[in-house]
Amino acid sequence: MPIKILSVFGTRPEAIKMAPIVRELLQRSSQFESIVCVTAQHREMLDQILRSFGLTADFDLNVMQHAQSPAQVASRVLAEMPAILDQVRPDMVLVQGDTTTTFATAIAAFLGRYPVGHVEAGLRTGDLQAPFPEEMNRRVTTVVSALHFTPTREASNALLREGVADERIVLAGNTVIDALLQSIRPDYVFDEPALRELPRTGKILLVTTHRRESIGEPMRQVCQAILRLKKAHADLTVVIPTHRNPAVREIVVGTLAGQPGIVLIDPLPYLDFVHLMARSDIILTDSGGVQEEAPSLKRPVLVIRDVTERPEGVTAGVAKLLGTDPDRIFDAVNTLLTDPSAYRAMVGAVNPYGDGHAAKYIADAILQWHRHQNR
Ligand code: UD1
Ligand code: UDP
């Protein structure tokens, strides 16, 4: 009998990072039966990724509401998930990362006595308030998980320090690298017309921002730094695919719309986005996934956050943790734009987030765990 795996995800980054696993399970159909449930914590941004990877959902909870709070999302997922679990009766429920979907699904599965496998386990900042509420989500998910698939040695060590048994930790690498390496190609042509029209001369600064703890003054400061950079560098083009969170849009569109050389666009399909990263000179971001992708593309990544649960990029030298102080952001970008040796020093590092085969290692580990369970 194939092992029945219910993969549950709800937001854009979860879908990107689960796609390689769902593909792997589908390919190994004699070993696995793959069932997908989306919560649709994100609606448009999730559907865009499902299309990008040709994924279809067997169940769709359609929970997203305008300007939702994490508690509202959690309550809807907790209300709907038990019936799906009891209908599917999976051997394992896979969740990914640290969103509200992740932790609410993990709790529902635990309460229903279904084993949870946590993909991208062991990320920690050590500060329960940052990122908020993701640090809580990931810690709670750890507590209820049976298997923990870590992206790096540091993440495995964090779990060991918390008392997770060694045999339950599988160092797999991050599936975001699988997705990236399966997608990047030299002859890619952008779907989005604004990207096809990017100038051939001058530098490109790619910006993404969406973190809940940055909304308000920190995000406004980032926008001020971008305006100053644009003023100082006439030939700089700033591209900002703007997250659909209305609180983010109010600040980013409110401050930067209509400025020459600043291209504000809707969230991009995955292929457009990763090829835009490859086309950019510098990436300024508070995104987790983007921090992981940039090193593989040899692009310097400046992180507009006070703490990161991904210290590997900083240690490798390809990422710098800046915070949101506008002077600091201005100086860091300005240095990379004007000092070729500072630029070269950041892009030589090896990607610390995996070899692009994480999904295979995860499937192999589930197989082994299942055999052990049934001995
Ligand atoms: C969520 C995750 C965060 C992750 C981010 C990825 C939590 C608590 N946060 O944050 O960890 O980094 O996704 O992007 O789980 N919206 C739309 N359409 C969409 C998506 C969002 O309109 O396709 C709007 C809705 O008004 C929604 C709001 O954005 O209510 C916020 O979405 P939500 O998923 O709650 O939070 P994010 O800040 O996106
Ligand atoms: N991404 C995308 N389109 C965009 C912006 C980002 O496909 O317009 C991808 C990006 O390649 C990365 C992921 O979305 O894999 C990051 O998602 P996000 O920043 O929303 O969430 P986080 O990683 O911070 O949780």
Side-chain angles (χ1 to χ4, degrees):
M1 279 276 280
I3 306 170
K4 204 187 260 193
I5 304 291
L6 178 65
S7 301
V8 183
F9 47 91
T11 64
R12 170 171 70 189
E14 293 166 76
I16 292 167
K17 291 171 171 179
M18 287 301 287
I21 300 177
V22 174
R23 274 182 180 165
E24 181 77 19
L25 298 179
L26 288 171
Q27 271 165 21
R28 292 162 68 160
S29 58
S30 60
Q31 295 170 331
F32 296 101
E33 181 186 352
S34 168
I35 297 135
V36 169
C37 171
V38 295
T39 65
Q41 174 179 336
H42 287 175
R43 183 73 274 171
E44 300 89 339
M45 286 163 59
L46 173 77
D47 291 344
Q48 197 174 36
I49 300 302
L50 295 178
R51 281 194 298 276
S52 294
F53 287 90
L55 292 181
T56 47
D58 301 289
F59 298 91
D60 189 333
L61 305 187
N62 201 24
V63 303
M64 194 190 86
Q65 289 184 354
H66 182 76
Q68 64 204 2
S69 72
Q72 288 166 335
V73 174
S75 69
R76 273 180 240 125
V77 173
L78 279 167
E80 304 277 337
M81 199 55 75
I84 290 169
L85 290 166
D86 289 340
Q87 183 181 337
V88 175
R89 303 184 67 75
D91 295 301
M92 175 164 268
V93 179
L94 284 184
V95 296
Q96 197 288 330
D98 52 21
T99 70
T100 305
T101 289
T102 314
F103 108 95
T105 301
I107 288 174
F110 178 81
L111 292 175
R113 297 191 176 277
Y114 296 99
V116 176
H118 186 199
V119 178
E120 198 185 57
L123 271 61
R124 296 289 187 272
T125 62
D127 177 353
L128 195 57
Q129 304 299 326
F132 181 90
E134 289 83 359
E135 180 81 357
M136 179 278 287
N137 292 344
R138 47 175 87 119
R139 290 197 207 178
V140 170
T141 305
T142 294
V143 171
V144 298
S145 291
L147 275 185
H148 312 259
F149 305 107
T150 58
T152 63
R153 173 71 54 201
E154 282 83 343
S156 297
N157 288 340
L159 294 180
L160 289 170
R161 279 198 299 276
E162 289 174 18
V164 177
D166 200 5
E167 64 271 20
R168 301 211 169 252
I169 303 172
V170 179
L171 175 54
N174 200 315
T175 52
V176 81
I177 306 298
D178 302 25
L180 182 68
L181 299 185
Q182 287 162 19
S183 304
I184 278 287
R185 44 179 201 258
D187 54 350
Y188 184 74
V189 179
F190 289 114
D191 258 5
E192 165 62 48
L195 299 182
R196 278 189 240 131
E197 286 157 20
L198 285 175
R200 292 274 143 214
T201 55
K203 300 270 169 65
I204 293 179
L205 172 68
L206 169 60
V207 183
T208 81
T209 179
H210 73 273
R211 297 241 78 88
R212 279 178 182 263
E213 69 273 15
S214 301
I215 292 171
E217 199 44 31
M219 205 171 274
R220 266 186 218 103
Q221 292 188 347
V222 171
C223 293
Q224 290 310 323
I226 292 167
L227 287 173
R228 268 182 67 195
L229 281 161
K230 215 11 244 163
K231 225 174 180 178
H233 298 275
D235 62 348
L236 178 70
T237 303
V238 184
V239 187
I240 314 180
T242 311
H243 201 276
R244 288 199 188 273
N245 189 331
V248 173
R249 295 209 149 207
E250 193 186 313
I251 297 170
V252 173
V253 177
T255 319
L256 301 177
Q259 298 288 334
I262 299 184
V263 183
L264 294 183
I265 38 180
D266 281 342
L268 289 167
Y270 178 71
L271 285 179
D272 263 11
F273 186 78
V274 292
H275 288 90
L276 174 60
M277 278 198 285
R279 172 89 166 72
S280 301
D281 296 283
I282 302 167
I283 300 172
L284 186 66
T285 190
D286 60 15
S287 160
V290 174
Q291 279 177 69
E292 294 153 349
E293 291 160 340
S296 287
L297 298 169
K298 304 276 176 210
R299 293 296 174 273
V301 57
L302 302 173
V303 183
I304 36 182
R305 292 177 53 188
D306 295 326
V307 286
T308 179
E309 57 293 281
R310 293 165 173 91
E312 297 86 354
V314 178
T315 307
V318 67
K320 273 203 174 93
L321 195 57
L322 289 187
T324 51
D325 176 66
D327 292 338
R328 215 164 156 218
I329 296 172
F330 179 88
D331 288 345
V333 176
N334 195 48
T335 302
L336 289 177
L337 287 172
T338 53
D339 179 352
S341 66
Y343 190 90
R344 274 196 305 276
M346 277 192 82
V347 296
V350 173
N351 141 53
Y353 296 110
D355 65 3
H357 299 291
K360 178 189 174 309
Y361 305 141
I362 289 170
D364 289 346
I366 296 173
L367 209 55
Q368 215 182 1
W369 165 85
H370 190 255
R371 282 196 193 118
H372 189 77
Q373 295 282 104
N374 290 306
R375 259 212 315 247

